[in-house]
Amino acid sequence: MNLSNTISTGCPFCGTGCALNVECNGTSYKVKGDKSNPSTLGELCFKPIQMAKVLDTARLNTPLYRQHKHEPFKPISWDKAFSYIADNILQLPKNALYFYLSGQLLSEESYLFTKLIKGYLGTNNVDANSRLCMASAVIAHKMVFGSDGPVGNYKDIDDADVILISGSNPAWAHPVVFRRILARKKSHPETLIITIDPIRTETAEKSDLWIGLNSGSDTTLYNAILSALHKQSACDIDFIRRVSEGFEQTLSEAQKISFESAIEACGISQQNAEQIVQCFASDKKIVGLWCQGLNQATDGVMRNIGFMNLFLATGRLNASRGCPISLTGQPNAMGGREVGYLSNGLPGYRDVRTLSDRQTCENHWNLFHNTISPIPGITITDAIDSILTKDIRFLWVTCTNPLLTLPDLNKTEHALNSPDLFLVVQDCVMSETAAMANLILPTHTWGEKEGSMTNSERYIKRIRPFKPAPDGSKSDLDIIYSVAQKLGFSGFEYTNIKAVYDEYKALSENRLCDQSTQEYNSISYQWGGERLYSNQIFATTSTKVQFHPVISSTSMIDPDKFILITGRTKKQWHTMTRTGLSNELLKEEEEPYLLMNSDEAEKMGIDVGDTVIIKNDLGTLELPIRFGKLAYKHLFAPFGYPQTPINTLVPVLNDPFSSQSALKSAQVLVIKK
Ligand SMILES: Nc1nc2c(c(=O)[nH]1)N[C@H]1C(S)=C(S)[C@@H](COP(=O)(O)OP(=O)(O)OC[C@H]3O[C@@H](n4cnc5c(=O)[nH]c(N)nc54)[C@H](O)[C@@H]3O)O[C@H]1N2
Ligand SMILES: Nc1nc2c(c(=O)[nH]1)N[C@H]1C(S)=C(S)[C@@H](COP(=O)(O)OP(=O)(O)OC[C@H]3O[C@@H](n4cnc5c(=O)[nH]c(N)nc54)[C@H](O)[C@@H]3O)O[C@H]1N2
Ligand code: SF4
Ligand SMILES: [Mo]
């Protein structure tokens, strides 16, 4: 590798998907924004800049094995490691195998895992951490538009009159998107930024209006706005009649609650809610952004749909009046969804339940018909239960750290620690999950890998290596090739990564996420163009966009308990396995904390810095207090800190449509220590 040059690549962190140039000088890597990239325009935040300084810290450099989980690990050869995997896969029945992937893998990696597992192994027992992240958004998009895929794009922010953010804290989680919002505000001060969030986050702080609703009352709020719009004759009846279905039923469900009682249930002021109604009733261009505050809930799909209903009802799916844009969390959850890595997916936004989709993939992979199972696999939280009942006995975890990020960690730990489970973990460092494994496969990571990623606005770019990987580690793709070979499969003999991409892109032809015309070496492409469905023909069977009735939630807060919201910090990435190695990224985020309203704390005799006990039926934790501004009886704690694994207190309660877990609304008692 040339030691002094500039490599064009992308950021490995959030779904904003910034394109980067890395200036390499010996072992020093200077990360800058790539100004030639039309999606992110040369912007970036501090995470990749600081991360590039610690890429070689604490890396694994040999496969490690132990037969029993109480034994110490022993280094083994790669060949032996692949044999252990192949032996387990060949000896166990198909439905005893499970694979858990990640939105941080490159598209080529997720594609080949999908081909190996769903195609060659003939099991759909595979899921990704997107189940915890984007599953509700995926289902909602499919129900409304007929396909997954966020509608709008970042450019829509640049001329928006109103930016409506709900359940999202982009100032921390999508900083470059937020900077774009602030740039619009600066150049056009009349732009209105509204944030709907139980917490007065940095995003809310910098907005014109903070709507601090009660956790879980979103559907009630959106329904109230929808019926108020209808009452004022502010719905776009022409659009509704011409290109949509289901409006009447949706409206009558929304009308079941009066505006006044809805507002009361949300715990917000009538004036604030009316301000949103007036925005939608006007001709203003509104861009709607949302993320985990809507996705991670037992009614996550309904929250997504309720929010999108407001845009449909006012004909807002275009450049002049605005549109909804679902913010994607991980850097390549979009790519993973495109290649079909969730338990029901197949490449090119296909589905295992559709015969023609299975056959297209079987033909493409030179497999016999009926090799791919028509039954979706179980989801990750169900897989944890199946490990406990010994139905699943082999789990291969790649690029995710479930021991800290799944709900109900005591149960998760119990499952992963099971003597009947052979646990393989493929990671670049010793994560908490790796430390529980029977077999650890040390991988290359960002800066060392090659492939492609799709960002939150459907823009695909190339990811290129800019440094050597530690000796002894292997790329995720090499590991897949080698395991396939050990299993005796032909169909994984690629001469380069371009060949993997070319094979996948052919499967995307004539699909919504078509990228079949792209040249691997120079991919720079927004599939679907700037905005999806600009011809008002939708991916549904009737080609019409679908309204769906949304039931107003009636969330009950136990008067003794608090609602514990969990989420991100500004500089750390999830379980901190990599960003936790950077002192700069740890500054002010060294310790976990519990955010609480000062007046509620003072009533309980609790002061800033005091340690409190938080507990529920699932467990007990201790955290130091910080004061913030939140809806009454709400708390916030970050979830990535291994020393206080907050998901211990988060129950497994899933959305019935998406099986995404409600990670933002555990009920807890707070006790002064
Ligand atoms: N710094 C940093 N950035 C990241 C990540 C990271 O780990 N660190 N992770 C990336 C990933 S994978 C993801 S998914 C995104 C997540 O990005 P976000 O979803 O923006 O971040 P969260 O902190 O999970 O939650 C967002 C907000 O939802 C609010 N919320 C909770 N309950 C409700 C509710 O009932 N209604 C409404 N309206 N709001 C509610 C919370 O108070 C919180 O402020 O961030 C990405 N970016
Ligand atoms: N309570 C609560 N829980 C949550 C959430 C929440 O808001 N609240 N959010 C959920 C969401 S949205 C998400 S996305 C998940 C994220 O949860 P996880 O995906 O479990 O968390 P990460 O820390 O990102 O784990 C990524 C792992 O991949 C490893 N890794 C890095 N690069 C590579 C590579 O190139 N190859 C391989 N093989 N490994 C690599 C890292 O070292 C790390 O161990 O957490 C979910 N859990
Ligand atoms: S905004 Fe997201 S994608 Fe862009 S540099 Fe920061 S972490 Fe990376
Ligand atoms: Mo996520």
Side-chain angles (χ1 to χ4, degrees):
M1 193 178 292
N2 189 341
L3 286 183
S4 173
N5 55 10
T6 298
I7 305 286
S8 147
T9 184
C11 176
F13 296 115
C14 83
T16 306
C18 295
L20 307 174
N21 282 324
V22 182
E23 293 172 9
C24 310
N25 196 346
T27 53
S28 133
Y29 311 106
K30 206 168 188 179
V31 180
K32 297 187 167 167
D34 178 355
K35 292 198 167 63
S36 70
N37 183 277
S39 177
T40 54
L41 309 169
E43 289 289 331
L44 80 170
C45 73
F46 37 68
K47 285 195 286 300
I49 298 176
Q50 298 303 339
M51 190 61 225
K53 298 179 188 164
V54 290
L55 285 171
D56 285 326
T57 312
R59 295 293 295 275
L60 294 167
N61 55 14
T62 180
L64 298 169
Y65 172 75
R66 55 187 177 179
Q67 191 181 354
H68 301 292
K69 297 206 172 93
H70 57 264
E71 293 169 356
F73 285 110
K74 280 199 229 93
I76 57 164
S77 71
W78 275 102
D79 189 59
K80 200 108 190 100
F82 297 138
S83 295
Y84 280 125
I85 296 179
D87 290 350
N88 267 280
I89 290 178
L90 293 172
Q91 276 160 24
L92 288 166
K94 273 194 250 187
N95 55 6
L97 309 175
Y98 202 85
F99 301 82
Y100 188 42
L101 308 178
S102 166
Q104 294 164 60
L105 287 170
L106 303 176
S107 296
E108 291 71 13
E109 296 161 355
S110 293
Y111 168 71
L112 275 199
F113 263 123
T114 304
K115 176 177 173 180
L116 175 69
I117 299 161
K118 292 179 177 160
Y120 282 67
L121 295 175
T123 171
N124 296 328
N125 266 353
V126 48
D127 212 359
N129 55 6
S130 289
R131 185 66 58 192
L132 307 174
C133 181
M134 301 309 297
S136 293
V138 170
I139 300 291
H141 280 84
K142 283 188 180 170
M143 287 170 70
V144 172
F145 300 106
S147 171
D148 188 12
V151 178
N153 73 144
Y154 301 155
K155 269 193 204 149
D156 281 313
I157 295 168
D158 301 340
D159 60 358
D161 303 307
V162 179
I163 294 150
L164 179 65
I165 303 167
S166 186
S168 159
N169 183 10
W172 286 10
H174 295 90
V176 164
V177 171
F178 194 61
R179 227 178 273 163
R180 206 155 168 162
I181 295 170
L182 294 183
R184 168 68 189 166
K185 175 82 188 170
K186 195 164 178 208
S187 64
H188 291 79
E190 70 282 8
T191 310
L192 199 59
I193 309 174
I194 304 175
T195 294
I196 305 172
D197 193 311
I199 306 175
R200 191 173 170 93
T201 58
E202 186 180 324
T203 303
E205 192 76 43
K206 292 185 172 157
S207 298
D208 298 288
L209 181 62
W210 169 49
I211 300 197
L213 85 179
N214 289 328
S215 155
S217 59
D218 289 84
T219 50
T220 311
L221 175 62
Y222 308 145
N223 273 344
I225 297 170
L226 181 65
S227 33
L229 284 168
H230 184 257
K231 206 168 168 186
Q232 296 183 15
S233 305
C235 293
D236 184 341
I237 298 300
D238 171 56
F239 176 90
I240 293 171
R241 285 212 184 112
R242 249 184 332 104
V243 295
S244 82
E245 288 171 341
F247 181 70
E248 294 303 325
Q249 301 91 304
T250 303
L251 180 66
S252 57
E253 185 61 50
Q255 286 167 333
K256 283 187 182 161
I257 185 161
S258 73
F259 195 77
E260 292 68 29
S261 35
I263 297 317
E264 197 188 329
C266 296
I268 62 176
S269 82
Q270 190 154 328
Q271 199 190 353
N272 286 352
E274 271 161 9
Q275 209 166 338
I276 306 184
V277 175
Q278 289 327 314
C279 290
F280 276 100
S282 72
D283 274 338
K284 288 181 173 159
K285 174 165 182 174
I286 308 180
V287 167
L289 301 169
W290 73 101
C291 202
Q292 298 314 329
L294 302 198
N295 298 349
Q296 292 170 338
T298 49
D299 62 348
V301 171
M302 287 299 138
R303 289 187 197 185
N304 272 257
I305 293 179
F307 191 67
M308 287 195 272
N309 278 344
L310 303 178
F311 290 82
L312 303 187
T314 55
R316 284 189 161 86
L317 285 181
N318 52 47
S320 59
R321 286 169 61 81
C323 56
I325 312 175
S326 145
L327 289 171
T328 303
Q330 295 174 93
N332 198 37
M334 285 286 293
R337 283 145 66 183
E338 287 154 29
V339 305
Y341 72 174
L342 289 169
S343 56
N344 63 302
L346 283 172
Y349 278 162
R350 289 186 172 80
D351 196 298
V352 297
R353 287 166 289 200
T354 309
L355 178 67
S356 58
D357 286 355
R358 293 197 301 281
Q359 288 184 342
T360 304
C361 295
E362 286 161 348
N363 292 343
H364 200 64
W365 294 336
N366 292 320
L367 297 170
F368 291 117
H369 282 179
N370 302 323
T371 314
I372 299 172
S373 164
I375 303 161
I378 57 171
T379 59
I380 182 63
T381 45
D382 286 347
I384 293 295
D385 289 333
S386 296
I387 294 170
L388 291 169
T389 54
K390 302 187 189 164
D391 291 306
I392 284 174
R393 279 173 284 153
F394 172 90
L395 173 65
W396 181 352
V397 173
T398 302
C399 202
T400 174
N401 192 5
L403 195 61
L404 287 181
T405 54
L406 284 178
D408 194 350
L409 290 185
N410 282 330
K411 176 160 100 170
T412 303
E413 180 170 350
H414 194 50
L416 298 188
N417 215 3
S418 159
D420 301 296
L421 177 76
F422 190 84
L423 176 63
V424 181
V425 177
Q426 185 167 323
D427 205 301
C428 52
V429 295
M430 184 63 92
S431 69
E432 286 69 23
T433 311
M436 286 237 134
N438 295 89
L439 179 62
I440 303 177
L441 306 174
T443 66
H444 299 177
T445 184
W446 179 60
E448 302 154 4
K449 306 210 299 186
E450 181 191 330
S452 63
M453 287 200 188
T454 309
N455 75 7
S456 204
E457 60 158 8
R458 296 173 273 104
Y459 188 89
I460 314 171
K461 67 186 167 309
R462 274 290 311 278
I463 301 299
R464 295 182 178 84
F466 55 82
K467 68 177 282 292
D471 284 345
S473 61
K474 275 193 188 293
S475 75
D476 290 288
L477 274 183
D478 264 351
I479 294 172
I480 307 172
Y481 301 151
S482 306
V483 170
Q485 201 180 20
K486 268 276 176 227
L487 287 164
F489 297 146
S490 59
F492 293 84
E493 299 83 14
Y494 298 94
T495 43
N496 50 37
I497 299 170
K498 176 180 181 304
V500 181
Y501 178 76
D502 287 347
E503 186 182 299
Y504 161 61
K505 82 174 186 188
L507 272 178
S508 74
E509 195 173 354
N510 294 328
R511 307 292 296 174
L512 188 67
C513 54
D514 191 339
Q515 47 188 282
S516 58
T517 55
Q518 290 307 292
E519 266 310 310
Y520 176 69
N521 286 326
S522 54
I523 310 170
S524 177
Y525 183 60
Q526 186 172 37
W527 63 252
E530 285 188 359
R531 213 163 295 96
L532 296 182
Y533 316 115
S534 44
N535 56 2
Q536 300 195 338
I537 297 175
F538 299 89
T540 50
T541 340
S542 65
T543 75
K544 301 219 162 147
V545 72
Q546 303 294 310
F547 282 94
H548 292 275
V550 166
I551 297 169
S552 298
S553 64
T554 44
S555 69
M556 303 276 284
I557 307 181
D558 180 332
D560 297 333
K561 292 194 178 140
F562 286 82
I563 302 270
L564 173 64
I565 295 176
T566 60
R568 279 137 188 97
T569 62
K570 186 170 185 168
K571 295 184 230 165
Q572 284 299 309
W573 179 258
H574 298 158
T575 66
M576 312 168 73
T577 59
R578 293 177 299 158
T579 45
L581 301 168
S582 158
N583 288 333
E584 279 84 359
L585 294 178
L586 272 178
K587 266 187 206 140
E588 291 153 23
E589 297 190 359
E590 295 88 349
E591 297 294 332
Y593 60 92
L594 185 71
L595 198 71
M596 196 173 181
N597 276 320
S598 57
D599 52 344
E600 287 174 282
E602 275 155 19
K603 268 188 214 143
M604 297 173 71
I606 297 168
D607 204 352
V608 170
D610 285 356
T611 297
V612 295
I613 297 167
I614 44 174
K615 63 186 266 188
N616 60 19
D617 292 348
L618 296 174
T620 304
L621 294 172
E622 292 188 8
L623 279 170
I625 287 287
R626 285 190 197 174
F627 285 161
K629 198 155 186 210
L630 309 93
Y632 176 66
K633 280 278 182 174
H634 289 60
L635 305 165
F636 171 82
F639 69 90
Y641 290 84
Q643 64 271 43
T644 315
I646 202 80
N647 287 17
T648 308
L649 305 179
V650 177
V652 184
L653 289 172
N654 293 347
D655 179 287
F657 301 97
S658 67
S659 296
Q660 178 159 357
S661 300
L663 298 167
K664 296 238 175 305
S665 49
Q667 296 206 10
V668 294
L669 289 170
V670 176
I671 300 160
K672 188 180 177 223
K673 222 183 144 186

